[in-house]
């Protein structure tokens, strides 16, 4: 039994009162779990990608210390993205984003060095209600793995509160 199944079945919490929060690749896994097993769960996808192959293509050459503009860099980008796709590890977050039914929001940062805006779920999802997007401040250093600022945390918690207290749902959980 998964943790979500235990919370829903064992503790009796309504599915739409469960919040799945995933960061980076965890955002993709949260979306996959929701759409396959708990489509009414609330979702927060924080600094996640549109498709894993896009992010692999973005970083394949530099990960191996090769210039991304060289012929070998271009080949590595192609090879990495293709291998992710053909092995079934695509993790197409955009596709499943539109299939989930619960309250959901995206957190992203324009200066994220791991998930650049062009490969982000935020960019690819399009049409996300502006009140369901938390744009994180671009700070010096690592904008992908950093903690939320106090103001960002307040906005994040306001979204959590909204998600878990939507009309038609109980106050439990």
């Amino acid at each position: 039994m998964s943790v979500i199944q235990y919370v829903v079945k064992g503790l009796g919490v309504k599915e739409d009162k469960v919040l799945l929060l995933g960061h980076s690749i965890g955002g993709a896994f949260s979306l996959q779990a929701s759409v396959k097993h708990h489509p009414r769960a609330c979702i927060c996808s924080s600094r996640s990608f549109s498709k894993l192959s896009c992010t692999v293509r973005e970083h394949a050459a530099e990960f191996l210390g090769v210039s991304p503009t060289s012929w070998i860099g271009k080949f590595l980008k192609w090879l990495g993205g293709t291998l992710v796709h053909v092995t079934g590890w695509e993790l197409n977050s955009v596709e499943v984003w539109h299939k989930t039914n619960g309250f959901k929001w995206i957190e992203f940062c324009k200066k994220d060095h791991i998930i650049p805006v062009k490969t982000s779920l935020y960019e690819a999802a399009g049409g996300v209600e502006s009140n369901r997007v938390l744009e994180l401040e671009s700070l010096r250093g690592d904008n992908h793995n950093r903690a939320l600022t106090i103001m960002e945390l307040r906005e994040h918690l306001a979204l959590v509160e909204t998600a878990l207290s939507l009309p038609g749902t109980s106050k439990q959980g």
Side-chain angles (χ1 to χ4, degrees):
M1 175 182 282
S2 75
V3 173
I4 301 169
Q5 289 171 321
Y6 172 74
V7 169
V8 171
K9 293 179 181 171
L11 299 179
V13 176
K14 290 185 176 188
E15 188 176 284
D16 60 356
K17 296 305 220 172
V18 174
L19 171 64
L20 302 176
L21 186 151
H23 171 75
S24 196
I25 198 166
F29 286 127
S30 294
L31 283 164
Q32 295 289 330
S34 174
V35 83
K36 287 183 181 177
H37 305 290
H38 306 284
R40 292 184 358 206
C42 303
I43 299 284
C44 171
S45 183
S46 181
R47 296 170 266 188
S48 194
F49 49 78
S50 57
K51 296 179 182 179
L52 184 56
S53 62
C54 294
T55 299
V56 168
R57 280 187 188 99
E58 184 70 20
H59 295 293
E62 66 187 80
F63 181 73
L64 296 172
V66 176
S67 168
T69 57
S70 70
W71 73 268
I72 204 160
K74 291 175 183 175
F75 173 74
L76 289 171
K77 290 164 82 170
W78 171 83
L79 180 64
T82 301
L83 287 173
V84 165
H85 183 73
V86 299
T87 58
W89 278 91
E90 182 65 78
L91 296 175
N92 188 335
S93 297
V94 180
E95 183 179 299
V96 294
W97 175 263
H98 296 293
K99 291 180 180 178
T100 57
N101 300 319
F103 184 92
K104 57 193 172 190
W105 73 95
I106 293 173
E107 299 176 351
F108 84 103
C109 182
K110 288 182 179 175
K111 297 285 183 175
D112 189 325
H113 67 290
I114 303 294
I115 311 291
V117 173
K118 69 181 180 181
T119 66
S120 70
L121 176 59
Y122 165 76
E123 181 77 9
V128 177
E129 294 179 39
S130 61
N131 64 341
R132 294 194 182 179
V133 172
L134 175 52
E135 183 177 339
L136 306 177
E137 187 179 347
S138 295
L139 303 176
R140 278 189 274 143
D142 183 351
N143 279 296
H144 184 71
N145 294 306
R146 70 170 177 79
L148 300 176
T149 65
I150 294 298
M151 291 305 295
E152 292 166 347
L153 182 59
R154 285 183 182 146
E155 291 179 58
H156 172 84
L157 292 174
L159 286 162
V160 169
E161 184 177 23
T162 300
L164 298 180
S165 63
L166 289 174
T169 61
S170 69
K171 289 289 182 186
Q172 72 176 8

